[in-house]
């Protein structure tokens, strides 16, 4: 094919270069000053400030808390004083860190002032048998020489004033190792150093030597004149001030307009992962659990809620109009689980569950829209309590919808916080099923966290898949039970398993358990791998352990580790014990041995099944799945897994035997499976797609499966139909399978209207992008429309809302493809809706919100300058959150002059590049092969502006380049990309970092080279060259 010819020779012209070294010298945005004060914990020019010597002083702090307030409540309450805690907590209030050495007896050795980095790691992580296998950055960890037992936190947020917060913190600590220093966290706050006080249990004041503030590590290091002995307890206290933030990264403020038209302020928190240190000085690591007494001062007309129920309210001395709410002593919690809300929000009571009070909070006028949540939560709650066999330990649970639009939610213990008001609100008249599913999934996820994350907390961020993976798994399970018609397990396969397969297969993400310090890193504790791979491998364990054994093992784990922290090894231990007891795993195997291959390695395997000539046996092999194919990976990863093989055959067609396992060991290159049926009957592996792996077969078995789908696809379980489609497509894209086999199989499903039809279409976007600028595109489009037409017809758009499964949630996607692939009815409807909008711009609500992107893009792509100009005028007027929708749609134009004008007007006018806008625009342009070169040309000609603006966020440079070139698939284009980067990126590290940009085009070129002729021939042979088909 002509596009495979060689490109021009390499010549460099421009002089602007970019290097990682240069970029890294730019100032970091997080170092900006916020509240400069004399002894602030905010960074200034010096990374470390040493204050001292500090003498004990009797003068109280200059805070809004009066002396009486402080004196009356500063006594540390013992566990026995509370009658709220379950009995077993009071017996063992705070665990010792897993793996930490037992507290050593006092030593006569000289005390060294600082623990070493390795010492810190050893203390925190133990001997390596239970802790983080690869370690975290030890210098960022607390030294582990003391542990907190109980905090008293008092906060007075002036939310209707200057948004400052006056605070006081007192913590009882136990010394684990002799020390002359105490290190704790603090960030973005101003601590009154004269208020810092350390008192022994015999009330004797300990003299402080100095206080070191380390801004980089966010540490406050208190140096003492004397040595603290192990096993002794002390009270550390101090006062502090800070301002409420504007975003949920600590204590923050938001507001809403109430029914009287007045602004009403709300103070709230998001302290995960590392923002508790911005709300109060503390030992801010998840493994350091303690109990908390929270006191919140508020103005009388407002209300305050926290993790625990209100204990009492008292007037604040000397401050007219203010009262102090004191909350019951908490169960042992990690610092990130602390939360409070001060507001004028209202609430609805839910049906009581046992003696637990559940309330749903929102703006008073929006409470009627929380009735679905109000009805759903008690049902989910009951299911989780019954299944897990461990009662929810708190007397209450509040679920709060804050008046903000941050797309997050958080599971604070006893106080679930949702930061996006639009998600929880549900209007039966206008909300979509997709919205309802999203809402329910979010609530179920946060509820499940009350056990996984709160009751049992991962010891360190490395193991947060134990929190997020289980919360996701139990959300699916609870909704499968509570809303059975939603088919949540099938949805999980589509939206979780297949999605994470696509990402994990690129080998861009680290393994599930990673050596990681910074939990805010997008590839860190809260990546899609943590959530989606976590949920997927938990489902796999359920498959091979059996439901009964899995459940008992989980219950045993929860009961053993409740109110404590845990590592993956703890989970493996309990599951192994149960599996051996039940005989679901042989005694010579352990869950840890199997699962380490899934949690410590990147990617996942593809299992190849090749049957013997008579069909009755099969040779089974495993290898790492490479989504990009083998050509761009010189470093061959020799990964192998313990793979739970399950299978059935045409004669049996029993898809329920997910627990009937043949293990393929990580030491085995191949195994032979016997007793299979004769060669004229198919076999299928990975029943119900419970295993986290793909399956490939010999061509003959693929043919048998294709015939079965064509004759009667219902013989195969729907989950395995979905698996076949996703596997065959992705094996084809990876170069593991001929596209002739791929196209035969998906063509056999062209008359189906259920889930597998949806999966077929969702897998064709890459092919569409590759082929849309080639001579065979018209034929390919006919093939696409033949697959899509039954699905589209099944939506029943002319008869109101779609009804069948697969369409009720996914229907916006089907409509998007129909319009993009040129379905005449879809295009006509979109154009008509747009015409109406142009006539009556203020009445855009007639177009369902979920269809707006499709309507706008289709009308602009198929229209002319008038349609584009109308959208441009709307873009200019639109409120901030609407603008992006128009930006994306404006990039759909197929007119090259308009495209040039668009990019010049939006990105090309200033010396500054709005990065988010640039991403929307360039991605939108490049989604159509005609638009790709426009984005690429812009980036080339504005390279200096791009690199100067983006600075040290060089990740964005890579993303922008990948977006701009994603449709490039000729050798000429590959050489141009390579040449440009060779000329403009000079250092080795950056070149390596940007290598995926060139690799992407190289992969596309190889894909075309391998498949173009095969696809072209197949389309001809199957009648798609006939225009009348
Ligand atoms: Zn979560």
């Amino acid at each position: 094919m002509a596009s495979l010819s060689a490109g021009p020779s390499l010549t460099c012209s421009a002089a602007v270069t970019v290097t990682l070294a240069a970029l890294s010298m730019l100032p970091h945005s997080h170092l900006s000053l916020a509240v400069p004060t004399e002894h602030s914990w905010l960074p200034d020019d010096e990374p470390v400030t040493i204050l001292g010597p500090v003498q004990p002083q009797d003068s109280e702090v200059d805070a809004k808390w009066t002396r009486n307030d402080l004196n009356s409540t500063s006594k540390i309450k013992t566990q026995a004083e509370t009658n709220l805690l379950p009995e077993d907590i009071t017996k063992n209030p705070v665990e010792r860190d897993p793996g930490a050495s037992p507290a050593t007896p006092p030593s006569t050795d000289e005390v060294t002032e600082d623990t070493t980095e390795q010492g810190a790691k050893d203390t925190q992580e133990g001997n390596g048998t239970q802790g983080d296998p690869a370690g975290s950055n030890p210098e960022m960890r607390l030294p582990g020489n003391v542990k907190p037992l109980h905090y008293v936190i008092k906060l007075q947020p002036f939310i209707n004033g200057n948004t400052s917060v006056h605070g006081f913190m007192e913590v009882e600590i136990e010394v684990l190792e002799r020390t002359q220093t105490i290190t704790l966290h603090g960030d973005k706050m101003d601590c009154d150093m004269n208020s810092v006080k350390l008192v022994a249990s015999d009330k004797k004041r300990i003299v402080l030597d100095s206080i070191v503030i380390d801004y980089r590590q966010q540490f406050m290091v208190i140096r003492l004149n004397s040595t603290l002995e192990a096993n002794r307890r002390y009270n550390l206290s101090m006062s502090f001030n800070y301002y409420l933030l504007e975003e949920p990264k600590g204590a923050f403020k938001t507001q809403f307009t109430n029914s009287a038209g007045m602004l009403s302020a709300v103070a709230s928190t998001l302290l995960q992962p590392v923002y508790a240190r911005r709300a109060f000085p503390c030992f801010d690591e998840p493994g350091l659990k303690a109990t908390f007494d929270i006191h919140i001062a508020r103005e009388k007309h407002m209300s305050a809620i926290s993790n625990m129920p209100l204990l009492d309210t008292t007037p604040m001395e000397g401050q007219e109009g203010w009262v102090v709410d004191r909350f019951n002593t908490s169960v042992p919690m990690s610092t990130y689980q602390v939360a409070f809300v001060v507001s004028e929000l209202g609430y609805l009571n839910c049906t009581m569950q046992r003696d637990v009070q559940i309330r749903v909070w929102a703006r008073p006028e929006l409470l009627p829209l929380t009735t679905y949540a109000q009805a759903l939560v008690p049902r989910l709650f009951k299911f989780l309590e019954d299944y897990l066999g461990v009662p929810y330990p708190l007397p209450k649970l509040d679920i709060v919808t804050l008046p903000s639009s941050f797309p997050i939610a958080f599971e604070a213990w006893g106080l679930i916080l949702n930061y996006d008001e639009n998600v929880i609100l549900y209007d039966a008249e206008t909300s979509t099923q997709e919205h309802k599913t999203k809402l329910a999934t979010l609530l179920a996820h946060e509820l499940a966290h009350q056990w996984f994350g709160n009751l049992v907390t991962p010891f360190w961020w490395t193991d947060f898949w134990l929190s997020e993976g289980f919360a996701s798994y139990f959300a699916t399970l609870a909704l499968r039970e509570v809303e059975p018609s939603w088919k949540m397990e099938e949805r999980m396969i589509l939206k979780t398993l297949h999605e994470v397969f696509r990402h994990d297969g690129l080998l861009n993400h680290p393994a599930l358990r990673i050596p990681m310090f910074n939990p805010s890193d997008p590839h860190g504790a809260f990546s899609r791998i943590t959530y989606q791979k976590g949920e997927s491998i938990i489902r796999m364990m359920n498959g091979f352990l059996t439901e009964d054994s899995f459940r008992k093992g989980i219950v045993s784990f929860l009961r053993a580790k409740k109110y404590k922290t845990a590592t993956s090894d703890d989970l493996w231990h309990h599951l192994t014990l149960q599996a051996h007891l039940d005989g679901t795993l042989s005694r010579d195997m352990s869950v840890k041995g199997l699962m380490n291959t899934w949690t410590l390695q990147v990617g996942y395997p593809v299992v190849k099944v090749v049957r013997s000539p008579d069909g009755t046996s099969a040779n089974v092999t495993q290898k790492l799945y490479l989504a990009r194919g083998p050509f761009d990976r010189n470093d061959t990863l020799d990964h192998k897994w313990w793979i739970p093989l399950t299978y059935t055959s045409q004669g049996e067609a029993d898809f329920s035997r997910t627990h009937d396992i043949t293990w393929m060991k990580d030491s085995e290159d191949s195994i032979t499976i016997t007793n299979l049926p004769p060669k004229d009957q198919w076999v299928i592996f990975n029943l119900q797609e419970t295993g986290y792996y793909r399956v490939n077969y010999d061509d003959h078995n693929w043919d048998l499966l294709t015939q079965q789908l064509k004759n009667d696809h219902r013989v195969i379980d729907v989950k395995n139909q979905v698996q076949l489609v996703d596997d065959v497509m992705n094996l084809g894209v990876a170069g593991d399978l001929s596209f002739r086999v791929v196209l035969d199989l998906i063509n056999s499903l062209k008359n189906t209207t259920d889930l597998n039809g949806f999966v077929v279409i969702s897998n064709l976007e890459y092919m569409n992008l590759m082929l849309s600028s080639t001579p065979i595109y018209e034929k390919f489009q006919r093939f696409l429309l033949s697959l899509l037409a039954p699905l589209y017809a099944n939506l029943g758009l002319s008869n109101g809302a779609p009804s069948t499964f697969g369409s009720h949630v996914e229907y916006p996607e089907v409509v998007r493809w129909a319009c993009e692939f040129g379905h005449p009815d879809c295009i006509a409807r979109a154009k008509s809706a747009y015409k109406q909008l142009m006539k009556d711009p203020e009445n855009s609500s007639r177009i369902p919100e979920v269809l707006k992107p499709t309507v706008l893009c289709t009308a602009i792509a198929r229209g002319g300058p008038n349609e584009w100009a109308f959208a441009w005028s709307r873009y200019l007027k639109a409120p901030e959150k609407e603008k992006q929708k128009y930006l994306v749609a404006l990039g759909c134009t197929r007119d090259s002059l308009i495209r040039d004008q668009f990019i010049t007007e939006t990105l090309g006018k200033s010396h500054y590049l709005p990065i988010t806008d640039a991403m929307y625009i360039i991605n939108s342009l490049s989604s159509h092969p005609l638009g790709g070169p426009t984005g690429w040309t812009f980036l080339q000609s504005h390279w200096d502006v791009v690199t100067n603006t983006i600075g040290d966020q060089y990740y964005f440079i890579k993303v922008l380049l990948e977006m701009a070139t994603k449709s490039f698939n000729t050798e000429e284009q590959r050489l141009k990309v390579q040449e440009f980067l060779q000329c403009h990126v000079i250092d080795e590290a950056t070149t390596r970092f940007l290598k995926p940009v060139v690799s992407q085009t190289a992969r596309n070129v190889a894909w075309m080279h391998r498949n173009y002729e095969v696809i072209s021939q197949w389309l001809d042979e199957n009648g798609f060259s006939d225009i009348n088909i």
Side-chain angles (χ1 to χ4, degrees):
M1 151 188 166
S3 59
L4 297 177
S5 62
S9 59
L10 176 66
T11 48
C12 297
S13 51
V16 181
T17 59
V18 59
T19 70
L20 289 190
L23 291 169
S24 66
M25 290 170 65
L26 294 168
H28 295 270
S29 57
H30 71 268
L31 292 179
S32 61
L33 288 172
V35 195
T37 51
E38 192 183 354
H39 291 159
S40 171
W41 275 16
L42 297 164
D44 55 16
D45 291 344
E46 294 295 325
V48 173
T49 302
I50 300 180
L51 306 166
V54 179
Q55 297 301 329
Q57 294 184 15
D58 287 325
S59 62
E60 266 319 341
V61 299
D62 181 23
K64 292 295 176 189
W65 297 93
T66 65
R67 180 182 294 272
N68 280 349
D69 289 322
L70 293 169
N71 290 343
S72 65
T73 51
S74 62
K75 172 177 164 284
I76 296 288
K77 188 189 284 185
T78 64
Q79 296 296 334
E81 284 178 302
T82 175
N83 55 4
L84 267 171
L85 299 176
E87 195 186 355
D88 52 350
I89 308 180
T90 56
K91 282 180 189 158
N92 183 18
V94 180
E95 69 190 302
R96 189 170 293 284
D97 305 332
S101 16
T104 48
S107 158
T108 53
D109 296 345
E110 284 293 315
V111 176
T112 50
E113 186 163 328
D114 300 311
T115 51
T116 62
E117 292 186 354
Q118 191 54 47
K121 179 173 183 290
D122 288 345
T123 307
Q124 295 287 345
E125 302 290 10
N127 57 16
T129 57
Q130 293 192 70
D132 177 354
S136 49
N137 186 348
E139 69 174 25
M140 302 303 281
R141 301 290 300 269
L142 293 172
N145 50 7
V146 302
K147 71 171 181 180
L149 301 175
H150 180 78
Y151 290 90
V152 175
I153 306 293
K154 300 177 181 182
L155 300 170
Q156 183 178 24
F158 290 85
I159 57 176
N160 297 314
N162 67 352
T163 73
S164 66
V165 179
H166 292 182
F168 171 80
M169 183 281 298
E170 182 169 8
V171 59
E172 183 184 22
I173 56 173
E174 180 178 328
V175 178
L176 300 176
E177 293 168 5
R178 296 183 79 216
T179 182
Q180 276 191 306
T181 62
I182 298 171
T183 304
L184 68 163
H185 286 108
D187 184 28
K188 297 193 187 305
M189 59 172 64
D190 178 16
C191 181
D192 179 352
M193 294 303 167
N194 290 327
S195 74
V196 179
K197 195 162 76 173
L198 185 67
V199 179
S201 49
D202 60 4
K203 310 290 182 205
K204 203 173 143 196
R205 190 104 177 238
I206 310 295
V207 179
L208 311 184
D209 173 70
S210 59
I211 297 172
V212 179
I213 304 296
D214 185 328
Y215 301 115
R216 192 175 70 85
Q217 294 169 296
Q218 298 166 357
F219 280 169
M220 176 185 194
V221 183
I222 302 168
R223 292 179 176 159
L224 313 171
N225 278 340
S226 53
T227 300
L228 304 181
E229 299 295 344
N231 296 326
R232 303 266 171 83
R233 293 186 177 191
Y234 299 85
N235 282 358
L236 173 67
S237 61
M238 64 190 74
S239 298
F240 54 92
N241 297 293
Y242 57 86
Y243 288 106
L244 291 170
L245 303 169
E246 291 178 357
E247 56 175 347
K249 290 184 174 180
F252 73 107
K253 178 186 166 176
T254 181
Q255 59 189 16
F256 64 95
T257 306
N258 64 22
S259 51
M262 306 290 287
L263 278 182
S264 180
V266 178
S268 184
T269 50
L270 176 59
L271 306 189
Q272 192 186 51
V274 288
Y275 306 130
R277 65 193 66 172
R278 295 179 179 180
F280 48 89
C282 57
F283 300 88
D284 195 12
E285 292 189 353
L288 295 172
K289 283 190 169 185
T291 49
F292 288 83
D293 282 348
I294 309 276
H295 303 224
I296 304 287
R298 62 172 168 87
E299 289 169 83
K300 274 182 183 168
H301 65 281
M302 310 197 82
S303 70
I305 45 177
S306 184
N307 305 80
M308 298 299 290
L310 182 67
L311 182 63
D312 57 34
T313 301
T314 51
M316 209 169 171
E317 193 177 299
Q319 293 198 51
E320 190 59 33
W322 283 80
V323 292
V324 179
D325 284 337
R326 190 160 63 119
F327 297 91
N328 277 302
T329 301
S330 77
V331 291
M333 302 195 295
S334 303
T335 44
Y336 79 82
Q337 289 159 6
V338 172
F340 69 82
V341 179
V342 180
S343 73
E344 292 178 291
L345 299 176
Y347 67 86
L348 293 177
N349 277 312
C350 300
T351 313
M352 288 279 279
Q353 288 299 306
R354 289 191 292 103
D355 50 353
V356 178
Q357 182 189 36
I358 305 177
R359 296 180 295 186
V360 178
W361 296 70
R363 287 197 242 169
E365 64 271 28
L366 295 179
L367 283 174
L369 298 180
T370 64
T371 50
Y372 176 67
Q374 184 199 14
L376 180 70
V377 169
R379 298 171 67 209
L380 293 169
F381 184 96
K382 182 166 182 344
F383 170 81
L384 289 167
E385 265 205 341
D386 290 350
Y387 184 98
L388 297 169
V390 181
Y392 174 78
L394 307 189
K396 68 95 175 174
L397 174 63
D398 286 304
I399 296 153
V400 182
T401 285
L402 296 163
S404 55
S405 52
F406 302 103
I408 37 177
F410 177 61
E411 70 273 12
W413 211 346
L415 179 49
I416 291 173
L417 292 165
N418 170 54
Y419 305 83
D420 187 349
E421 196 170 61
N422 294 323
V423 173
I424 295 291
L425 307 177
Y426 176 74
D427 185 338
E429 295 288 308
T430 57
S431 298
T432 62
Q433 176 61 33
E434 187 188 25
H435 177 80
K436 194 175 187 178
T437 312
K438 189 176 171 188
L439 184 174
T441 305
L442 182 142
L443 287 173
H445 179 99
E446 305 307 339
L447 268 175
H449 267 311
Q450 303 300 312
W451 285 265
F452 296 96
N454 293 352
L455 187 65
V456 178
T457 309
F459 177 67
W460 183 246
W461 304 110
T462 304
D463 274 324
F464 258 68
W465 75 274
L466 290 175
S467 175
E468 299 303 344
F470 274 100
S472 303
Y473 177 81
F474 279 102
T476 302
L477 195 68
L479 284 172
R480 215 173 78 184
E481 184 72 19
V482 170
E483 296 282 9
S485 68
W486 293 3
K487 299 192 185 305
M488 286 303 290
E489 192 169 12
E490 287 85 341
R491 189 178 160 81
M492 178 271 167
I493 292 176
L494 249 69
K495 298 287 182 186
T496 299
L497 180 61
H498 289 177
E499 204 170 304
V500 73
F501 265 169
R502 264 183 274 289
H503 291 270
D504 205 12
L506 293 170
L507 306 181
N508 282 341
H509 294 268
L512 189 59
R513 299 186 68 207
I514 51 169
M516 169 250 319
F517 164 70
N518 184 0
S520 303
D521 185 325
H523 287 319
F526 300 95
S527 72
R528 78 167 64 242
I529 294 291
T530 314
Y531 289 76
Q532 296 183 325
K533 187 170 183 176
E535 179 178 0
S536 302
I537 65 159
I538 291 166
R539 181 168 172 264
M540 177 166 71
M541 288 196 290
N542 176 291
F544 69 71
L545 289 172
T546 73
E547 166 64 21
D548 191 50
S549 214
F550 171 80
R551 179 178 177 169
K552 286 181 188 158
I554 294 297
V555 171
S556 161
F557 166 71
L558 281 180
R559 287 187 175 153
K561 304 304 288 185
K562 62 184 176 181
Y563 308 113
K564 302 177 185 173
T565 56
T567 65
S568 297
D569 283 359
D570 295 318
L571 176 70
W572 308 146
H573 172 71
H574 286 273
L575 290 174
T576 302
L577 279 183
Q578 192 63 47
H580 286 170
L581 201 66
D582 298 341
T584 50
L585 204 63
S586 79
R587 293 267 170 185
D588 59 347
M589 295 166 73
S590 72
V591 176
K592 176 177 177 171
L594 313 174
M595 293 307 294
N596 271 355
T597 64
W598 300 95
T599 57
L600 300 179
Q601 300 186 109
V602 296
Y604 56 90
V606 53
V607 166
K608 178 87 186 270
V609 179
V610 179
R611 297 173 71 186
S612 59
D614 67 354
T616 57
S617 68
N619 181 258
V620 180
T621 53
Q622 62 159 302
K623 67 165 189 170
L624 175 68
Y625 172 73
L626 298 170
R628 293 173 160 149
F631 73 97
D632 65 348
R633 286 195 69 82
N634 299 325
D635 53 329
T636 45
L637 295 168
D638 187 25
H639 286 178
K640 292 281 189 298
W641 289 261
W642 274 83
I643 303 177
L645 298 173
T646 51
Y647 55 91
T648 190
S649 62
Q650 192 165 345
E652 296 171 330
D654 180 358
F655 290 86
S656 67
R657 293 206 322 260
T658 53
H659 55 278
D660 190 0
I661 308 291
T662 302
W663 284 102
M664 182 167 194
K665 298 176 188 170
D666 62 348
S667 57
E668 290 172 327
D669 287 329
S670 71
I671 61 170
T672 302
I673 289 186
T674 53
N675 295 326
L676 296 178
K679 65 177 179 184
D680 59 344
Q681 293 185 32
W682 51 258
V683 296
I684 192 165
F685 277 61
N686 198 5
L687 300 180
Q688 297 191 41
E689 208 173 6
T690 50
Y692 191 71
Y693 58 91
R694 296 193 185 281
V695 187
N696 197 355
Y697 303 96
D698 57 72
D699 284 359
H700 179 62
N701 198 64
W702 277 120
D703 284 345
L704 293 171
L705 288 166
T706 298
Q707 281 308 315
Q708 182 64 68
L709 291 172
K710 199 170 179 179
N711 297 338
D712 184 2
H713 65 272
R714 289 165 303 181
V715 169
I716 296 175
D717 185 283
V718 67
K719 299 187 200 87
N720 279 99
Q721 292 176 36
V722 167
Q723 171 220 22
L724 287 173
V725 173
D726 196 64
D727 278 356
V728 83
M729 284 296 307
N730 288 287
L731 291 167
V733 170
D736 286 340
L737 197 56
S738 160
F739 255 84
R740 182 170 292 282
V741 176
V742 176
L743 295 172
D744 278 345
L745 188 136
I746 60 176
N747 197 37
S748 71
L749 286 165
K750 70 179 171 189
N751 292 321
T752 64
T753 55
D754 53 17
L755 194 56
N756 50 47
F758 177 82
V759 179
V760 167
I761 302 294
S762 65
N763 271 294
L764 289 170
E765 288 199 90
Y766 179 73
M767 281 180 81
N768 187 50
L769 187 66
M770 288 299 98
L771 298 177
S772 53
S773 57
T774 67
I776 63 170
Y777 188 61
E778 266 189 54
K779 299 178 200 173
F780 182 68
Q781 210 171 8
R782 275 181 221 127
F783 170 56
L784 289 178
L785 285 173
S786 76
L787 294 168
L788 193 64
L791 275 178
Y792 184 79
N794 198 47
L795 292 180
L797 284 183
S798 53
N799 303 321
S803 57
T804 57
F805 172 73
S807 56
H808 73 276
V809 170
E810 285 82 16
Y811 97 100
E813 287 289 278
V814 175
V815 173
R816 180 170 72 82
W817 294 324
C819 279
E820 191 171 325
F821 297 161
H823 194 291
D825 183 71
C826 186
I827 291 169
R829 281 173 186 274
K831 286 172 90 169
S832 163
Y834 194 78
K835 216 171 178 177
Q836 288 295 323
L837 185 66
M838 287 174 75
K839 275 188 196 159
D840 186 6
E842 301 314 315
N843 195 5
S844 67
S845 59
R846 278 193 300 231
I847 305 172
E849 205 55 41
V850 288
L851 295 184
K852 263 186 196 161
T854 299
V855 168
L856 298 179
C857 182
T858 306
I860 289 168
R862 309 271 170 177
N866 288 344
E867 282 76 10
W868 195 90
F870 172 74
W872 177 251
S873 71
R874 300 296 296 165
Y875 162 72
L876 294 176
K877 286 184 208 157
E880 207 52 45
K881 66 178 183 183
E882 285 272 304
K883 276 189 185 297
Q884 287 168 350
K885 204 177 288 173
Y886 284 100
L887 267 187
V888 172
L890 287 162
C892 295
T893 179
R894 296 180 182 183
D895 184 319
S896 61
L897 287 177
I898 294 178
R899 268 200 307 270
D900 290 342
Q901 187 192 343
F902 172 47
I903 206 163
T904 306
E905 289 292 324
T906 49
L907 302 180
K909 275 199 156 171
S910 79
H911 299 296
Y912 163 80
L913 184 79
I915 297 170
T916 312
D917 286 357
M919 288 197 169
Y920 280 108
I921 292 167
I922 287 175
N923 195 40
S924 172
L925 288 169
S926 310
S927 297
H928 311 277
L930 292 173
T934 309
W936 171 241
T937 305
F938 171 83
L939 289 179
Q940 286 178 290
S941 56
H942 292 75
W943 187 242
D944 50 347
V945 176
V946 173
T947 51
N948 284 338
T949 307
I950 289 178
D952 63 347
Q953 303 176 77
Y954 41 84
Y955 167 78
F956 291 115
I957 294 179
K958 188 177 91 168
V959 172
L960 281 172
L961 289 170
E962 282 181 329
M963 282 176 171
T965 59
K966 69 181 179 185
S967 67
F968 287 14
N969 59 9
T970 67
E971 184 61 12
E972 186 181 350
Q973 288 170 321
R974 188 189 71 76
L975 284 171
K976 276 187 178 166
V977 174
Q978 184 173 307
E979 174 190 333
F980 179 80
L981 292 179
Q982 278 176 1
C983 291
H984 293 82
V985 182
I986 54 170
D987 77 308
E988 214 178 292
T990 318
T991 302
R992 221 175 22 248
F993 187 75
L994 294 179
K995 190 181 162 200
V997 178
V998 184
S999 300
Q1000 175 181 257
T1001 307
R1003 185 172 78 250
N1004 294 346
V1005 173
W1007 188 92
M1008 291 292 283
H1009 189 65
R1010 210 167 45 229
N1011 300 311
Y1012 181 82
E1013 288 303 332
V1014 176
I1015 295 169
S1016 174
Q1017 220 174 0
W1018 186 92
L1019 290 169
D1020 287 341
E1021 287 169 8
N1022 286 273
F1024 293 101
S1025 51
D1026 181 353
I1027 196 124
N1028 295 317
I1029 194 165

